[in-house]
Amino acid sequence: MKRYIFRIKRFNPETDQAPYWQDFEVKLEPMERLLDGLLRIKEEQDGSLTFRRSCAHGICGSCAMKINGRNRLACQTLAKDLPDRVEIEPLQAYPVIKDLVVDMEPFFSKNEEVMPYLINNNPPPERERLQSPDEQKRLVESITCIMCGSCTSACPVYWADRQYLGPSALLKAYRFIFDSRDQATQERLKRIIHSHGLWRCHSIFNCVEVCPKEIDITSHIAALKRFALRKGLKG
Amino acid sequence: MYVHNYDTVIIGSGLAGLCAALEAKNAGTVAVLAKLYPTRCHSTAAQGGIAAALGNEEPDSPEWHFYDTVKGSDFLGDQDAIEVMCEDAIRTVVELEHMGVPFSRIPEGKIAQRRFGGHTREFGAAPVRRACYSADRTGHAIVFALYEQCMLKGVEFFSEFHVLDIVVEEGRCQGVLAMEIKTGKLHAFQAKATLVASGGYGRVFKTTSNALASTGDCLGMLFNRGVPLQDMEFFQFHPTGIYGLGILITEGARGEGGVLRNSRGERFMERYAPTIKDLAPRDMVSRAILTEIKEGRGIDGKDYVYLDLTHVPRKNIEERLPEISSFCKIYLGIDPAEEPIPVLPTAHYAMGGIPTDVDGRVLRDEKGETIEGLYAAGECACVSVHGANRLGCNSLLDTVVFGRRAGRAINKELKGLRQGNIKKEIVNQVFEEIDRLLNSKGKEKIGKIRKQLQQKMMEHCSVFRTEEHLRMLLNELKNIKERYRDIGLKDTSRAFNTELLEAIELGHLITISEVIAESALRRTESRGAHYREDFPKRDDENWLKHTLAFKKNGSIEFAYKPVRITKFQPEERKY
Ligand SMILES: Cc1cc2nc3c(=O)[nH]c(=O)nc-3n(C[C@H](O)[C@H](O)[C@H](O)COP(=O)(O)OP(=O)(O)OC[C@H]3O[C@@H](n4cnc5c(N)ncnc54)[C@H](O)[C@@H]3O)c2cc1C
Ligand code: SF4
Ligand code: FES
């Protein structure tokens, strides 16, 4: 067991005027998760410490937070990779509700704008629609997104323009535009090509750097751009 | 206090809740309440696949699926319900594909299928490829597709609304009371039909593959309101949880060729299940692993064995099992293509739950009387298609088939149902309870009590059970209940008070644990996941029946009902 100082940014909307930092000492085994540390603090030291969590293994997307300046999942960050002092803050660019909990609505609502559902108006066949393994593989990275919000929160374009769709919503658009079964490409392109859409992305790669599922988001956005260009839809 | 009126209110945005919502929306207004954001339900964690006899990779038939499920259930599953599920499986998976689920494919473009535990061809002859998958992220792929369809259809979601009470009163369900977590405000949702789809409760055990949110709240609420709970003694331990963490390694890893090995490097499942070996049902494999360990053949004399994938082609691991490879890399620092994975059984799936008929109507007693306006589906429900032991990939199928059927039943019955009415007294009771908890100044910390509970359940009530241990557990539970009465909370605020919610969840965990322990104590036989060392044989003469536990006058009472057998007579279960 090693001792760590967790320096956590706290804020209770009912009692605090402004956020403040609080230090907690916590012991962790090398292979334990930062999330285990937060749970331990909540259990043993301060029941009011507030954060989201559920699956505890990087699949539900609840526990994204800023850890030593970088967005990560608390349940996917191991103690052995941490320095003795760890600064933990809520995700940047979303309104803080309490302690490490932010309001994700602005993030989720962007997804809805890109029509995130398969549209195919042909009468459904008796059995499954056919799709080749290669056509399916084209989607594999984009469908692993867990909607943790890390990417959009780390995006300088989003910091400057809160109406910008953001990396995750563009990735969602990719997921449907490049699905061989989908027929709403035109409509969807309209939804992403506007002054807060696709062409605002300047390939800064912050999203790729923080994505806990290691999705190469920028290359997906680049594929969308090439596709749009071919359709003559620049800017 | 906010009051909402909907035709249908659904608790839970897992696969069961989402499927039901899609159907119920055809008949009227639908609100889905979930304590997490919709896609953060634990269905998202499902890895391996969904079972359907598509026969895409080799010949298969719904009848074989039916037989395997009955046998897997150790003959406790109700065969009429199992037949409904297996017959509907093909249509179900095809419809999911039409909704956009990105299943993995075979070269001809059809859905790919792989082997899974207990699924065989020709009534047990050899393993069959029946699991339809999207790599090892099948649950995630299906949840997103269904959630997106719900969005398209205009289902209303109340995300991060924590249900506190399901109001079953005057012989019917009136609706639910929920807290908006962000503000701490109370909302009443009055409904004609209420569907419970709140998922599992693996968090009664210390080591589990279940999410921290899998606390079985709604089962506790309904039990307290006099609704029975069925077959609660049957809890599945999945053989391959990552050692020390309980994180699941899908059975699909063995479906792709992985094998279990003991300290001698021996493929020990050959001894326990000569025909299908590592793909035997989970109850048998979990017992085999623990037997190996007990007899000193754990790795380095420790309490784990190896899941060995090192002979599986790297390409297959990368394409079909990317998620579990990444778990191994992140949490163990190993590459499963190079090194074996240390595993130990982990609490995984609740076979028991809220008793329902095949259309999701909740049953109030052993005679099959229903409760007006109350429906349940998914892991929280007990239809019962899984009996004493669920087969892998049959749970996703269960949630989709029976979630949809419940939604359709609601459609048909909505016209005859009155709008629910939640009385002021009930609202006041819930308000008072919240205030009491917020002001509780006792000396006990909820985290400590929860740990003790989970530890004791693991020690006395997991894979192997005896009367002595179960009695010890019941004593411990008495003590735990005492301590729970004396809790103190630090967080007294209303907004996003997760400590308060954890305190409420803990209350339900304790209730459920008691029902599990009492049900297990009474069943003096071994069947499926319920293994009594003091009664090691299955006893069809006395125990081919379902348990129903009721809360009456503060204590737990029991009734039993027969298993519905239509086609396959109980036989010895060998693999
Ligand atoms: C790691 C893992 C892998 C699995 N893999 C497979 C597989 O490959 N194949 C297979 O068939 N099965 C698998 N299973 C089992 C299967 O995933 C689950 O049984 C199934 O997904 C349960 O779905 P559900 O809709 O019943 O509940 P869940 O998906 O658990 O959803 C429950 C919902 O209820 C809500 N809820 C709960 N309590 C409250 C409350 N008090 N107030 C408001 N909302 C509440 C939650 O927010 C959530 O939305 C796996 C299970 C696990 C844990
Ligand atoms: S793309 Fe990656 S960082 Fe962005 S929401 Fe999805 S998983 Fe999170
Ligand atoms: S708790 Fe689910 S992603 Fe971390």
Side-chain angles (χ1 to χ4, degrees):
Chain A
M1 284 257 190
K2 201 180 135 186
R3 194 176 303 175
Y4 295 87
I5 302 291
F6 280 11
R7 186 150 201 263
I8 302 177
K9 200 177 222 174
R10 313 256 347 232
F11 176 69
N12 180 339
E14 288 168 27
T15 51
D16 303 330
Q17 297 288 321
Y20 63 98
W21 291 96
Q22 188 178 358
D23 285 0
F24 295 94
E25 196 183 295
V26 62
K27 284 189 193 146
L28 289 168
E29 298 283 357
M31 296 307 276
E32 281 190 299
R33 299 158 279 207
L34 185 133
L35 179 65
D36 294 311
L38 293 176
L39 291 167
R40 204 160 291 155
I41 292 170
K42 189 171 178 69
E43 275 167 18
E44 294 167 8
Q45 302 180 39
D46 186 348
S48 72
L49 181 66
T50 305
F51 48 93
R52 288 195 181 97
R53 83 288 178 282
S54 186
C55 72
H57 64 283
I59 192 67
C60 75
S62 297
C63 69
M65 49 189 74
K66 201 165 176 183
I67 298 166
N68 280 337
R70 189 182 152 197
N71 296 347
R72 297 170 195 269
L73 298 180
C75 69
Q76 221 172 258
T77 305
L78 299 192
K80 69 175 174 53
D81 301 321
L82 291 172
D84 302 349
R85 292 179 68 84
V86 189
E87 260 184 24
I88 305 169
E89 319 164 57
L91 285 180
Q92 168 178 3
Y94 308 129
V96 175
I97 295 176
K98 187 176 178 179
D99 290 347
L100 301 171
V101 174
V102 294
D103 185 356
M104 305 282 294
E105 272 317 318
F107 170 74
F108 288 121
S109 65
K110 296 291 191 301
N111 255 282
E112 289 171 34
E113 291 179 29
V114 305
M115 304 168 66
Y117 20 77
L118 189 86
I119 295 178
N120 184 314
N121 295 318
N122 299 346
E126 185 88 345
R127 291 291 291 248
E128 65 261 49
R129 293 196 178 94
L130 300 182
Q131 183 171 51
S132 75
D134 285 337
E135 285 168 337
Q136 196 266 353
K137 268 180 215 150
R138 224 160 42 162
L139 308 179
V140 163
E141 251 187 279
S142 65
I143 57 176
T144 57
C145 170
I146 57 172
M147 303 284 291
C148 69
S150 293
C151 51
T152 302
S153 152
C155 175
V157 179
Y158 182 70
W159 299 342
D161 173 12
R162 296 291 155 92
Q163 280 168 279
Y164 171 49
L165 283 174
S168 162
L170 290 170
L171 188 71
K172 195 55 126 184
Y174 172 101
R175 181 253 171 275
F176 288 102
I177 288 174
F178 287 95
D179 189 324
S180 59
R181 302 168 295 175
D182 187 78
Q183 297 175 333
T185 301
Q186 284 307 328
E187 180 59 25
R188 226 176 250 112
L189 281 175
K190 265 190 237 148
R191 302 282 190 105
I192 62 168
I193 296 179
H194 50 68
S195 50
H196 307 287
L198 181 63
W199 294 102
R200 292 297 307 262
C201 168
H202 296 305
S203 307
I204 304 168
F205 283 95
N206 278 16
C207 53
V208 180
E209 215 183 322
V210 299
C211 175
K213 303 310 276 186
E214 297 184 352
I215 303 168
D216 188 352
I217 309 160
T218 309
S219 78
H220 286 75
I221 296 177
L224 279 174
K225 286 180 182 165
R226 274 195 301 277
F227 185 73
L229 265 186
R230 260 186 277 134
K231 302 243 163 202
L233 292 168
K234 175 127 187 3
Chain B
M1 174 74 190
Y2 299 80
V3 181
H4 310 257
N5 284 292
Y6 281 90
D7 291 325
T8 306
V9 165
I10 294 176
I11 310 168
S13 64
L15 287 180
L18 294 173
C19 279
L22 282 175
E23 288 296 329
K25 184 70 182 124
N26 293 330
T29 54
V30 179
V32 177
L33 277 56
K35 63 181 177 180
L36 310 166
Y37 274 108
T39 53
R40 292 177 180 173
C41 60
H42 209 49
S43 291
T44 303
Q47 302 169 357
I50 176 167
L54 296 180
N56 282 357
E57 303 225 21
E58 57 190 349
D60 196 3
S61 91
E63 199 192 356
W64 298 344
H65 188 184
F66 178 15
Y67 171 80
D68 290 338
T69 306
V70 171
K71 186 173 169 188
S73 81
D74 217 348
F75 297 90
L76 191 72
D78 286 320
Q79 296 186 11
D80 53 344
I82 297 175
E83 187 165 12
V84 162
M85 179 176 83
C86 298
E87 286 294 333
D88 204 25
I90 297 175
R91 186 206 53 77
T92 297
V93 169
V94 167
E95 202 169 287
L96 289 175
E97 194 283 330
H98 292 165
M99 288 187 208
V101 176
F103 284 109
S104 297
R105 304 285 173 151
I106 55 175
E108 303 134 71
K110 294 184 191 167
I111 295 171
Q113 298 191 276
R114 66 174 154 221
R115 296 183 175 141
F116 239 78
H119 291 280
T120 70
R121 67 174 157 84
E122 293 163 77
F123 311 103
V128 75
R129 295 177 198 277
R130 187 177 289 149
C132 312
Y133 59 94
S134 178
D136 53 355
R137 305 183 181 107
T138 314
H140 180 276
I142 305 177
V143 165
F144 272 82
L146 288 178
Y147 174 59
E148 289 156 359
Q149 289 297 318
C150 283
M151 227 192 263
L152 178 63
K153 257 197 154 167
V155 172
E156 287 171 67
F157 285 89
F158 290 82
S159 302
E160 300 198 319
F161 272 62
H162 193 112
V163 172
L164 301 172
D165 201 2
I166 303 168
V167 185
V168 180
E169 260 235 322
E170 296 170 351
R172 63 158 293 189
C173 185
Q174 311 281 354
V176 310
L177 288 168
M179 179 186 279
E180 180 180 13
I181 301 177
K182 183 175 166 182
T183 59
K185 296 221 164 81
L186 215 56
H187 292 242
F189 291 82
Q190 304 183 135
K192 291 178 182 157
T194 302
L195 175 105
V196 186
S198 57
Y201 42 90
R203 286 285 154 180
V204 295
F205 294 102
K206 175 171 169 253
T207 306
T208 176
S209 64
N210 284 197
L212 288 149
S214 301
T215 49
D217 317 343
C218 294
L219 279 83
M221 288 169 213
L222 287 174
F223 186 70
N224 288 334
R225 290 216 169 259
V227 177
L229 295 179
Q230 183 176 329
D231 292 341
M232 295 292 284
E233 62 271 42
F234 298 101
F235 202 97
Q236 175 169 84
F237 279 71
H238 191 294
T240 57
I242 293 182
Y243 179 62
L245 286 166
I247 296 173
L248 192 77
I249 300 292
T250 174
E251 205 168 71
R254 280 170 284 141
E256 296 292 351
V259 297
L260 292 162
R261 296 191 191 281
N262 60 20
S263 60
R264 298 180 188 157
E266 179 197 9
R267 184 179 180 187
F268 57 86
M269 280 313 299
E270 285 176 337
R271 277 189 274 117
Y272 296 87
T275 313
I276 60 175
K277 306 184 179 80
D278 297 87
L279 289 173
R282 292 174 181 174
D283 56 329
M284 297 177 93
V285 182
S286 285
R287 278 194 296 276
I289 292 175
L290 293 174
T291 305
E292 290 299 300
I293 291 168
K294 232 191 251 179
E295 293 175 0
R297 292 186 293 277
I299 305 299
D300 298 332
K302 295 210 198 98
D303 58 339
Y304 62 85
V305 297
Y306 277 145
L307 171 60
D308 184 1
L309 294 176
T310 55
H311 54 285
V312 177
R314 182 177 280 280
K315 183 166 177 285
N316 292 4
I317 296 182
E318 278 167 7
E319 277 179 13
R320 300 182 197 164
L321 302 166
E323 197 71 15
I324 63 124
S325 319
S326 135
F327 294 159
C328 290
K329 283 175 195 150
I330 294 171
Y331 298 109
L332 296 168
I334 65 169
D335 174 357
E338 303 283 337
E339 278 177 83
I341 311 165
V343 293
L344 190 66
T346 182
H348 185 59
Y349 182 84
M351 270 76 71
I354 307 157
T356 71
D357 66 12
V358 289
D359 291 307
R361 298 180 197 96
V362 174
L363 308 176
R364 71 166 77 235
D365 58 25
E366 67 279 16
K367 290 177 219 87
E369 290 295 317
T370 56
I371 299 172
E372 194 181 310
L374 186 61
Y375 303 78
E379 189 168 338
C380 69
C382 182
V383 185
S384 138
V385 283
H386 310 302
N389 172 66
R390 167 173 79 86
L391 290 190
C393 293
N394 267 354
S395 171
L396 293 187
L397 181 61
D398 165 6
T399 60
V400 183
V401 168
F402 292 103
R404 174 173 179 268
R405 288 180 73 94
R408 296 195 137 197
I410 290 172
N411 281 355
K412 267 196 249 132
E413 287 154 27
L414 217 46
K415 275 197 287 315
L417 293 167
R418 270 176 304 118
Q419 189 64 27
N421 174 28
I422 299 176
K423 289 211 198 97
K424 228 179 153 171
E425 297 101 82
I426 303 220
V427 176
N428 288 340
Q429 275 168 24
V430 172
F431 266 123
E432 278 162 29
E433 176 62 10
I434 298 290
D435 282 339
R436 186 188 69 78
L437 281 167
L438 282 177
N439 293 310
S440 56
K441 298 271 178 295
K443 62 176 188 309
E444 299 284 356
K445 285 207 163 93
I446 52 172
K448 284 222 174 99
I449 304 176
R450 191 172 50 218
K451 262 210 180 106
Q452 187 191 356
L453 173 77
Q454 293 166 333
Q455 180 65 42
K456 295 298 165 192
M457 283 295 286
M458 202 74 192
E459 250 172 70
H460 301 304
C461 197
S462 51
V463 176
F464 294 107
R465 299 164 173 178
T466 63
E467 174 171 349
E468 193 194 341
H469 277 275
L470 290 167
R471 289 204 186 279
M472 273 154 60
L473 173 62
L474 286 164
N475 261 332
E476 294 281 357
L477 287 172
K478 256 191 226 136
N479 166 264
I480 286 170
K481 266 165 53 181
E482 276 310 306
R483 292 181 62 192
Y484 182 65
R485 283 195 200 103
D486 191 28
I487 56 171
L489 299 192
K490 164 128 199 256
D491 196 344
T492 55
S493 54
R494 299 270 165 187
F496 229 103
N497 189 334
T498 51
E499 192 185 24
L500 169 70
L501 297 176
E502 283 183 26
I504 295 170
E505 288 172 342
L506 176 58
H508 296 307
L509 286 176
I510 297 172
T511 304
I512 292 169
S513 300
E514 241 191 322
V515 179
I516 295 175
E518 291 278 8
S519 306
L521 180 66
R522 275 166 186 75
R523 187 174 282 271
T524 49
E525 65 154 354
S526 290
R527 184 186 297 275
H530 172 70
Y531 192 88
R532 287 279 303 257
E533 287 178 288
D534 42 356
F535 298 93
K537 289 243 152 49
R538 193 174 85 197
D539 175 2
D540 287 339
E541 206 168 302
N542 296 302
W543 286 105
L544 190 56
K545 58 187 181 187
H546 297 290
T547 306
L548 285 176
F550 296 79
K551 182 167 170 178
K552 277 196 184 132
N553 312 319
S555 66
I556 304 181
E557 289 181 14
F558 286 88
Y560 294 88
K561 65 175 182 184
V563 175
R564 289 191 301 276
I565 295 170
T566 57
K567 189 154 187 185
F568 301 107
Q569 288 306 313
E571 58 187 26
E572 198 194 341
R573 191 161 162 258
K574 276 199 299 213
Y575 286 92

